[in-house]
Structures are given as structure tokens and as C-alpha cells.
Amino acid sequence: MSEKSEQRLSVFKTYKLYVGGKFPRSESGRVYEVTDSKGKWLANAPLSSRKDARDAVVAARKAFGGWAGATAYNRGQILYRVAEMLEGRKGQFVHEVADAEGLSKSKAAVVVEAAIDRWVWYAGWTDKIAQIVGGANPVAGPYFNLSTPEPTGVVTVVAPQDSSFLGLVSVIAPVIATGNTAVVIASERSPLPALSLGEVLATSDLPGGVVNILSGKAAEMGPHLAAHQDVNGIDLTGTDAELARDLEIAAADNLKRVLRPRAEDFGEPPTTDRMTAFMETKTVWHPTGSLGASGSSY
């Protein structure tokens, strides 16, 4: 074959959703154009529908029992494995983050490396957070009184709009580190790093359904997810003030845990606040002495 007579056509990537460990297109068949910071076309991303959101909740609920029941140490190993996989695909994410956020390759590399380090940071906390927020409580009576943190359940996460990868990791990792499962609405403007993250999660040891990633409009999917009776919490980080208010009102239907949006610099060192935001405390009372061996909890 002559190089002069034949010109190879580029193979463009088809971005898909990540739901239940699989890569479906939106059931609606809709897509929307994603451009870089200069308006140059990058790809068509799926425009998720309410049906896609419902499917993601079903997948997250199905995965919750096994993920919450895994040992904290095992969850830490799996999160660390995600970091390993990201390290091996760092070049791809540097390219996507540079396009998404208008950064130079060197600055994008710093962002991607920080995101990988954040996975490692949360991986290290999975088997330690219970020691920080749980423990024995002093009570006036012949009882042991012990508090233990447990995951809330299925959490909807509206990812940051402007921090397409570091911010994304910063809101997903703490949710799943504590045993929750997540339905993530990626940045509408810059969804490609999030959709590529789905490919990494699928090839790591993370069980399908623990993280589900949707692209499209938070204003379209958010109200449905906020009111969904099988969603237990919602992180409003990526919403504006008006949408955050509407979603918080909708979330009150079944008393969801709500993490309100706040000014954040995701480049700053993380804290455990995002881990404890979606944890419940189980308190166990156990009698001592002559009261017998039976116990109770609430």
C-alpha cells in the first residue's frame, strides 16, 4: 500500500454511559456536542434521560449490599487498584483534562497526578474512618454503649462543572470509600474525563454498579433523582444556587442526606468531611454484669 495514495482516517472515540458495569448508549438515542475551551468540537456525549437515571439507581441499589458488606480493608484495596489503573492511563487523562479545562499539558499533568493521589488518600482511610467517628460512649448504667458508622446507601452526586477530573474524583471517592454506591451526573460542559473514568472502573476490581456515570443535563436528571424514593443521599456540589434549592426541596420527600454546594478549591488537601457526610451511626447497647448476655441496638 502506497502512503501517498492512501490516507488513514482517524478512529474517533464513541463515548458511552457507565451503568451497572456496562457501557450503554442513552436509551433516548440523544447526544450533544462537547467542545474544548476554544469551542473546537471534541466528541458527542450521550444526553442521558430520566430512564437512564432510573436504570442507574437500580444498578446502584443492586450493588449496595455486596459493597457495603465488603470489609473496609478490601474496599481500600479496590480503590488503590483504581489509582494503579489511572497511573497506567495517565497520558490519556492529561490530554482530556487539557482539552476540557483549557490547560497546558504540564498543568493538566499536575491535575491528573493530584487526582490519582486522591484515590490513594481515600483508599488509605477506608479501614480507619470507623476508629475516628465511632467508639465507646460513656453511659450511666451497667451497659457497654458502642457507636459504629455505616454507609447511608445510594448517593446521587452532581459533579463539579469546572473541575472535570480532580473535582470529579474528590466527590466520588469519599462516597464509595465508606461503602455507599453512587449515581454520578458528570460535568455537563466537560463530561469526557468522567466517561473515560468509567472505562478505568470497569477494568479495575470495582464491582459493577458501585459507580454509575451519566452525562447530560443536571437540570433534567437532578429533580428525578432528588425525588427518587430509592436514593438515600445527594451531593449538590455541581449545581447552581437555584437548582440546588429545587433539588433540596425534592430530596425532602424521603429525608435524604443532602450535602449543599460550597466554595471549594479541590487542589487543597482533602479532609474526612466528605466521607462522614454520607454515613449513619449505629449504636449498640450491651448489658454487663447480672443483666444477662442479650443486647439491643438502634
Side-chain angles (χ1 to χ4, degrees), residues 33 62 79 89 91 123 137 148 155 175 186 199 211 242 273:
E33 290 188 357
K62 184 178 180 180
L79 264 66
R89 297 178 62 166
N137 308 308
T148 306
V155 179
V175 168
E199 298 170 5
V211 175
E242 182 178 357
D273 290 353

Side-chain angles (χ1 to χ4, degrees), residues 81-138:
R81 175 61 175 163
V82 174
E84 289 180 336
M85 301 293 287
L86 285 172
E87 187 74 28
R89 297 178 62 166
K90 185 165 61 175
Q92 173 193 350
F93 283 95
V94 168
H95 177 76
E96 290 187 343
V97 169
D99 285 341
E101 301 181 22
L103 301 176
S104 66
K105 288 296 195 295
S106 59
K107 290 183 178 180
V110 171
V111 169
V112 172
E113 288 168 359
I116 296 171
D117 292 345
R118 192 136 305 173
W119 275 112
V120 175
W121 193 87
Y122 281 111
W125 268 103
T126 57
D127 59 355
K128 301 174 183 65
I129 190 67
Q131 301 170 49
I132 301 300
V133 299
N137 308 308

Side-chain angles (χ1 to χ4, degrees), residues 3-297:
E3 293 184 0
K4 293 183 179 180
S5 60
E6 297 289 341
Q7 184 176 4
R8 183 178 180 275
L9 297 177
S10 298
V11 178
F12 290 103
K13 182 175 180 178
T14 301
Y15 288 88
K16 298 180 181 179
L17 308 176
Y18 181 58
V19 176
K22 300 179 181 180
F23 297 95
R25 294 178 170 86
S26 171
E27 61 83 28
S28 67
R30 300 177 303 170
V31 297
Y32 70 101
E33 290 188 357
V34 178
T35 60
D36 65 13
S37 59
K38 298 179 180 179
K40 178 184 175 183
W41 180 85
L42 295 174
N44 290 331
L47 185 58
S48 301
S49 67
R50 292 174 56 177
K51 174 64 164 55
D52 295 319
R54 290 196 298 271
D55 290 345
V57 173
V58 170
R61 177 58 62 190
K62 184 178 180 180
F64 174 68
W67 184 242
T71 65
Y73 178 72
N74 181 238
R75 288 199 298 267
Q77 288 180 307
I78 291 173
L79 264 66
Y80 187 83
R81 175 61 175 163
V82 174
E84 289 180 336
M85 301 293 287
L86 285 172
E87 187 74 28
R89 297 178 62 166
K90 185 165 61 175
Q92 173 193 350
F93 283 95
V94 168
H95 177 76
E96 290 187 343
V97 169
D99 285 341
E101 301 181 22
L103 301 176
S104 66
K105 288 296 195 295
S106 59
K107 290 183 178 180
V110 171
V111 169
V112 172
E113 288 168 359
I116 296 171
D117 292 345
R118 192 136 305 173
W119 275 112
V120 175
W121 193 87
Y122 281 111
W125 268 103
T126 57
D127 59 355
K128 301 174 183 65
I129 190 67
Q131 301 170 49
I132 301 300
V133 299
N137 308 308
V139 293
Y143 299 96
F144 291 121
N145 183 259
L146 306 174
S147 293
T148 306
E150 295 185 344
T152 295
V154 175
V155 179
T156 291
V157 179
V158 185
Q161 292 298 313
D162 298 322
S163 186
S164 65
F165 194 55
L166 178 56
L168 175 78
V169 169
S170 298
V171 296
I172 294 178
V175 168
I176 66 171
T178 50
N180 298 293
T181 54
V183 175
V184 182
I185 303 176
S187 165
E188 182 179 345
R189 294 193 296 268
S190 306
L192 304 188
L195 297 177
S196 290
L197 177 63
E199 298 170 5
V200 173
L201 300 178
T203 52
S204 69
D205 299 324
L206 190 73
V210 172
V211 175
N212 305 274
I213 301 176
L214 307 171
S215 57
K217 299 181 181 295
E220 179 179 346
M221 292 178 283
H224 177 67
L225 289 168
H228 199 299
Q229 296 297 298
D230 206 22
V231 172
N232 307 110
I234 184 166
D235 180 348
L236 300 174
T237 294
T239 60
D240 58 30
E242 182 178 357
L243 181 58
R245 181 200 63 210
D246 292 344
L247 297 190
E248 187 168 0
I249 292 172
D253 282 348
N254 70 334
L255 300 177
K256 291 179 176 64
R257 280 182 168 256
V258 176
L259 184 60
R260 293 171 174 166
R262 58 194 179 189
E264 291 185 78
D265 179 358
F266 292 107
E268 292 294 316
T271 68
T272 58
D273 290 353
R274 284 189 170 277
M275 299 181 74
T276 57
F278 296 107
M279 299 181 77
E280 309 287 345
T281 300
K282 177 181 179 181
T283 301
V284 177
W285 295 72
H286 195 288
T288 61
S290 61
L291 293 181
S294 62
S296 62
S297 65

